[in-house]
């Protein structure tokens, strides 16, 4: 039988919790370092790491600290009462001095060059945005941040978000101002502005609607949970050829490509198993994938250069993968 449990990402290393701080109601920030204090791999704004927790839980958290600090990673974790226990473990059990295994960092939310940026964050979605603000300011690119949350007390890092960062900051607690004025924020931006958004699913859907007239590639979104998909294009089995070995694997309707490859003895790394983290991205050499991930842009889907085998399938009888 295939192993259906999420698998940790490559580049595993054990880090020590050197600081744990409450940064908002229900949000704690962790600082992580190598036990010997050594250098950590570099990362860029938008990157995240996997926290591999007891009980087989693997959770992705955006890096939100100083990207130029070579010795520390910083993440912020929202307590999720309806979650599967990962955030509860971090909040209630993980302590300063404890060690935790991480994977990554990886980046599916790169900050592309632009003449101006509009950053939109909802709740804990501020975490991948924070390093982007500093990067944009360092590059001399003007930006606006629209940051919403239920209440000011639940909004992490809000005290440090001022115009001193180099851009325009709009803090928008719902209990004070109502829903975010997305249409006004988008309409007020000059041509060429790129929009970056992270937050809960309703916010992302609203932003997609507000940015419907923007050119391809001008809106980038990072999701916490996978978006809803229609039924698969194909309900019959299909074949996957692995170009490096010539192995051909048949994928039945009830099995993912990832599980079919593993059952055939092909090692494929994965983490979320939901098409949101990017670990299992695999180059496509031939065939048309049925893209079912929450990462690729429309342009990237049309290009068909890669697919995420944990959720995506095939539109036709055969795919050829560079694996």
């Amino acid at each position: 039988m295939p192993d259906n449990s999420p698998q940790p990402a490559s580049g595993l290393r054990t880090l020590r919790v050197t600081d744990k701080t409450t940064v908002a109601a229900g949000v704690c920030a962790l600082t992580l370092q190598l036990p010997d204090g050594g250098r950590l791999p570099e990362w860029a704004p938008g990157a995240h790491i996997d926290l591999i927790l007891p009980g087989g839980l693997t959770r992705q958290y955006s890096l939100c600290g100083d990207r130029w600090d070579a010795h520390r990673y910083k993440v912020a974790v929202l307590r999720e009462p309806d979650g599967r226990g990962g955030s509860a473990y971090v909040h209630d059990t993980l302590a300063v001095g404890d060690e935790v295994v991480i994977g990554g960092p990886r980046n599916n939310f790169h900050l592309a060059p632009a003449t101006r940026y509009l950053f939109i964050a909802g709740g804990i979605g501020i975490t991948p945005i924070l390093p982007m603000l500093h990067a944009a300011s360092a590059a001399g690119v003007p930006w606006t941040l629209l940051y919403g949350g239920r209440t000011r007390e639940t909004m992490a890092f809000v005290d440090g978000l001022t115009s001193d960062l180099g851009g325009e900051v709009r803090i928008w607690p719902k209990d004070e101002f109502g829903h975010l004025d997305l249409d006004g924020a988008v309409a007020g931006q000059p041509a060429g502005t790129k929009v970056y958004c992270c937050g809960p699913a309703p916010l992302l859907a609203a932003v997609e609607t507000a940015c419907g007239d923007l050119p391809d590639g001008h809106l980038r979104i990072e999701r916490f949970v996978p978006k809803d998909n229609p039924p698969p294009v194909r309900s019959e089995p299909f074949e996957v050829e692995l170009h490096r070995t010539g192995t051909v694997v048949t994928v039945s309707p009830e099995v993912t490509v990832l599980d079919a490859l593993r059952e055939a003895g092909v090692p494929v790394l994965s983490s979320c198993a939901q098409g949101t983290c990017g670990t299992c991205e695999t180059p496509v050499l031939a065939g048309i994938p049925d893209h079912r991930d929450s990462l690729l842009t429309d342009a990237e889907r049309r290009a068909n250069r890669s697919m995420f085998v944990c959720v995506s399938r095939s539109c036709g009888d055969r795919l050829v993968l560079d694996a």
Side-chain angles (χ1 to χ4, degrees), residues 71-245:
H71 303 278
R72 296 172 182 83
Y73 286 162
K74 184 176 181 178
V75 298
V77 179
L78 171 68
R79 180 188 288 276
E80 300 181 65
D82 298 326
R84 291 182 291 168
S87 67
Y89 175 84
V90 171
H91 276 259
D92 299 336
T93 304
L94 195 63
V96 171
D98 288 349
E99 293 186 346
V100 62
V101 176
I102 73 152
R106 292 187 312 278
N107 201 334
N108 307 302
F109 195 40
H110 295 278
L111 184 64
T115 56
R116 185 177 183 88
Y117 297 106
L118 170 61
F119 298 110
I120 303 173
I124 198 64
I126 190 62
T127 52
I129 300 296
L130 286 175
M132 294 184 177
L133 305 181
H134 291 278
S137 292
V141 180
W143 54 265
T144 298
L145 168 67
L146 186 60
Y147 178 22
R150 290 184 292 108
T151 66
R152 196 173 293 267
E153 292 73 22
T154 63
M155 298 170 69
F157 307 113
V158 70
D159 290 340
L161 294 172
T162 68
S163 57
D164 292 343
L165 288 174
E168 179 186 0
V169 177
R170 304 178 191 172
I171 305 300
W172 203 287
K174 184 179 178 181
D175 65 335
E176 297 178 27
F177 305 118
H179 290 290
L180 293 172
D181 180 15
L182 298 175
D183 290 335
V186 173
Q189 299 301 314
T193 299
K194 290 187 177 178
V195 182
Y196 281 76
C197 178
C198 184
L203 171 64
L204 303 186
V207 169
E208 287 181 313
T209 298
C211 295
D213 294 331
L214 294 184
D216 281 351
H218 280 60
L219 170 63
R220 293 303 305 265
I221 279 175
E222 182 162 71
R223 299 177 184 274
F224 299 138
V225 296
K227 63 182 180 181
D228 293 332
N229 275 311
V233 170
R234 183 183 181 87
S235 58
E236 300 83 14
F238 57 90
E239 292 183 340
V240 173
E241 177 185 339
L242 308 178
H243 177 72
R244 299 180 195 175
T245 63

Side-chain angles (χ1 to χ4, degrees), residues 9 23 31 37-38 47 95 125 131-132 139 143 166 205 211 218-219 226 229 243 257 267 285 289 294 302 311-312:
V23 292
T31 300
M132 294 184 177
W143 54 265
C211 295
H218 280 60
L219 170 63
N229 275 311
H243 177 72
V257 175
L285 301 180
S294 301
R302 290 192 296 269
V311 291
S312 295

Side-chain angles (χ1 to χ4, degrees), residues 32-91:
L32 306 169
Q33 296 180 250
L34 287 167
D36 65 1
R39 291 178 64 91
L40 290 164
E42 295 180 0
W43 57 280
H48 66 270
I49 58 173
D50 299 317
L51 247 58
I52 300 165
L53 304 173
L57 294 173
T58 301
R59 296 292 181 269
Q60 289 78 42
Y61 296 108
S62 298
L63 290 168
C64 59
D66 179 2
R67 63 172 296 206
W68 302 114
D69 185 342
H71 303 278
R72 296 172 182 83
Y73 286 162
K74 184 176 181 178
V75 298
V77 179
L78 171 68
R79 180 188 288 276
E80 300 181 65
D82 298 326
R84 291 182 291 168
S87 67
Y89 175 84
V90 171
H91 276 259

